Structure formats: C-alpha cells, structure tokens
Amino acid sequence: MKALLVLALLAAPALAQDGAAIYRHGAGLEARLGRADGPLLPPGRLTCAGCHGMDGQGGAEGGPLPAPPVAWSHLAAPAPDRPGYDEAAFIRLLREGITPSGRAISTRMPRFAGPPEAFAALLDHLRALDQAERQGLGPTAVAVALPRDPDARDAALAAMAAFNAEGGAFGRRAAPGEPAFLDLDRVAAALVPRLAAAERARLDRLLRDEPGLRPLTPDAPPPGPLRVAGTLDQIGPHLPALLARPGVEAVAVGLSAEAMLWALREKRDGAAAHAYAAVRAALDMLRDEGRMPTRSGLARRLSTADLSDAVEIYRQEAPAD
C-alpha cells in the first residue's frame, strides 16, 4: 500500500500555480534585472502589480514613468507599434523582453524565468482581471449598489431615473444589482465633500470678482440696498427674510438646477440634494468612459474630475417698493 501511495504521489501533477500570487508577489518566478542573465533580484522585489497596478490597468506605481496596462484585453489587442500578443509571445516577453514586433522593451522591467505552469497561471490571472474590471456590466444594464442611508438612496434612485430617461450609457440603464459595477455609497462619500468644496471655491471667486457683494454673516445686515452672497445651504434659510427687504439682491452658489429642483419638489434637504448631484455626476462620467468602461478607469475619472461644472450661481432680487 505504501509503495502504491508513493507511486501515486510521484505520478501526481505539480501543485497548481497561483496566478494572483505570482502577479502580486512574484511567487513562483525568478526575476532578473534588465536582461535574462542579469543580476538576480530578491523574491518580491519587483512585482507585476507593483508597476502595472493591482487591477492591471497600468499607472505610475513603479516610478515616475507610467507602466502600460497588462490586463489580457490590452495585451491581446494590436497596438500601433506591435501585433497583439498570443500565449507564446507573452511568455517570450517575460523571458526575453521582446515584443511581437521584435522590439526590446525597457530594461526597467525584469526578465523572468520559471516553469511553464507559472507562466500559464499568470496569463489566466490577467484574463481574470478583465472579467473583474467589467463585473456588473451587461449588454443592457449596469449594476449599481445603492447607498445605505434612506435619503441618499432615494436621491440615487431619482438620479438614476433621470439618467435612464436620457438613454443611460450606450443603451445600458443603471439598475440596482450584484455584483455591482459602481458602488453609489462610495460615490456619495467621495464626491459630496468635493461638491461642497467646489461650491465654496466658486463663492470665494464670486466675492473676489464682484466687490459689491458681501458674504452672509450672522450679524444683522445694514439698512439700505444690499448685495449678499453665500452657498445655497448658508443663504437658503435666510432667503425669505432677505427678500422681504426692498433693495436686497441675494446671490447663492449651489448645485445644478436638476438636483435643486428635485430636492424642492420632493421636500428634501441639502444633504439629499448633494447625494443626488454626486450620483448624477458619477453616472455622467460612466457615460463619458465610452462603450466598454472599466471599473478602474471610472474610478480614476471619479477621483480626478473637476466638479466646478456641477455648481451654479442663482440670483434673486427683492421686489421693489
């Protein structure tokens, strides 16, 4: 029995390689600096994820020069300077640093050695990255996770309805679902403070550009004509009293008219209006990502977007005597 067990173990295939561990930590591959016979690097010193990002979408994680995307959809697609990669070309790139066009890539990328199983597992992981990047993206719908807060959830559903009424993004309607392509709770947490900051920045610029305006303060305003400005959250509660005085012009900096009209119609507060505006901005950015958006691409757009266009100026003058 022991002899049979030993024979079975000897005949068993090698343990399956973990493509994610290879990609993230370099496990199972030997890395050499600059060329196939270059200096041996310590295990895990330079990894795929360290330069190309955990999502395989590229970036500058590995240094000042950006690393290209390596998710398989990018590698398999032809580029202006090379044909698309197949499995053999991909392994040659890793071993020798040679692209399908015969060009040697930068020596900043290590050259790798390892068993065929390790290269195959890494390739499978790069294919899996593509799937993860588009989870929740269907032919007619894009799945979103709704905010947990009830008011923010209502705001998100209203913003989604307005987005869908315009045709959505390339025929895809936003709808609650799992796995979600876009988490609207995270969207609100990230964009609402930036929307408020954009309102304050616009107010500061307005006060600077129009010397006749004065900021709204807790002090009683002086008698006579008055031009006062503030964010809509600041000036809104005082607006009826201000407009009851002849000669007063109130200037408010606030969210888009769409978000404000929804909040007024549904009798919602400023926090809900901000949630609406944040979700609507995120959905518009999803549309701007094109027909085949990725999670990481949308995340980058959300993190760098200029939200000043989501802020507007409203002016209201008190009726004359």
Side-chain angles (χ1 to χ4, degrees):
M1 177 65 71
K2 286 185 178 179
L4 290 174
L5 181 59
V6 170
L7 287 172
L9 290 173
L10 289 174
L15 290 175
Q17 297 283 330
D18 184 346
I22 296 170
Y23 184 80
R24 296 169 185 166
H25 311 298
L29 289 180
E30 182 182 87
R32 292 186 176 272
L33 186 63
R35 60 182 191 273
D37 60 350
L40 184 65
L41 294 169
R45 177 68 176 274
L46 288 177
T47 65
C48 304
C51 292
H52 298 280
M54 291 291 285
D55 55 13
Q57 297 301 307
E61 289 92 337
L65 297 176
V70 292
W72 189 245
S73 59
H74 292 280
L75 293 176
D81 61 343
R82 60 158 176 82
Y85 283 89
D86 59 17
E87 294 186 18
F90 173 68
I91 293 173
R92 187 188 184 200
L93 174 77
L94 294 180
R95 289 187 183 278
E96 304 173 28
I98 303 298
T99 71
S101 62
R103 180 180 62 86
I105 63 172
S106 168
T107 56
R108 292 187 301 122
M109 177 169 156
R111 302 329 187 222
F112 296 94
E117 296 83 4
F119 290 113
L122 178 58
L123 182 56
D124 286 343
H125 180 66
L126 298 184
R127 290 189 175 109
L129 288 177
D130 276 330
Q131 296 171 4
E133 276 289 288
R134 295 194 167 94
Q135 270 193 332
L137 193 68
T140 60
V142 55
V144 300
L146 294 173
R148 292 185 292 265
D149 176 78
D151 289 337
R153 177 184 291 253
D154 289 346
L157 288 169
M160 289 161 57
F163 174 77
N164 291 338
E166 296 174 352
F170 294 89
R172 295 186 181 100
R173 296 167 57 85
E178 293 292 341
F181 184 83
L182 183 61
D183 187 331
L184 297 182
D185 220 7
R186 294 183 179 180
V187 163
L191 295 192
V192 165
R194 289 170 54 201
L195 284 168
E199 289 175 280
R200 292 191 296 271
R202 177 67 71 87
L203 175 62
D204 290 343
R205 190 162 65 249
L206 189 67
L207 291 169
R208 185 176 62 249
D209 294 344
E210 298 189 29
L213 283 176
R214 56 177 290 163
L216 182 69
T217 65
D219 303 328
L226 177 67
R227 299 180 69 229
V228 63
T231 66
L232 203 54
D233 284 346
Q234 293 169 342
I235 212 166
H238 306 281
L239 194 58
L242 287 170
L243 296 182
R245 289 183 45 185
V248 170
E249 180 187 4
V251 182
V253 176
L255 302 169
S256 68
E258 179 183 320
M260 299 309 305
L261 287 172
W262 170 80
L264 288 171
R265 185 175 63 249
E266 300 297 324
K267 298 181 172 56
R268 301 304 179 100
D269 61 11
H274 278 82
Y276 182 107
V279 170
R280 186 60 207 260
L283 293 174
D284 288 343
M285 287 182 232
L286 169 65
R287 183 190 289 129
D288 292 341
E289 279 292 289
R291 189 173 298 277
M292 291 301 291
T294 61
R295 283 173 162 178
S296 59
L298 180 57
R300 281 193 293 271
R301 186 181 289 268
L302 287 168
S303 67
T304 60
D306 178 6
L307 298 180
S308 59
D309 287 345
V311 174
E312 297 187 16
I313 296 175
Y314 302 89
R315 299 176 184 269
Q316 182 69 50
E317 293 186 17
D321 282 340

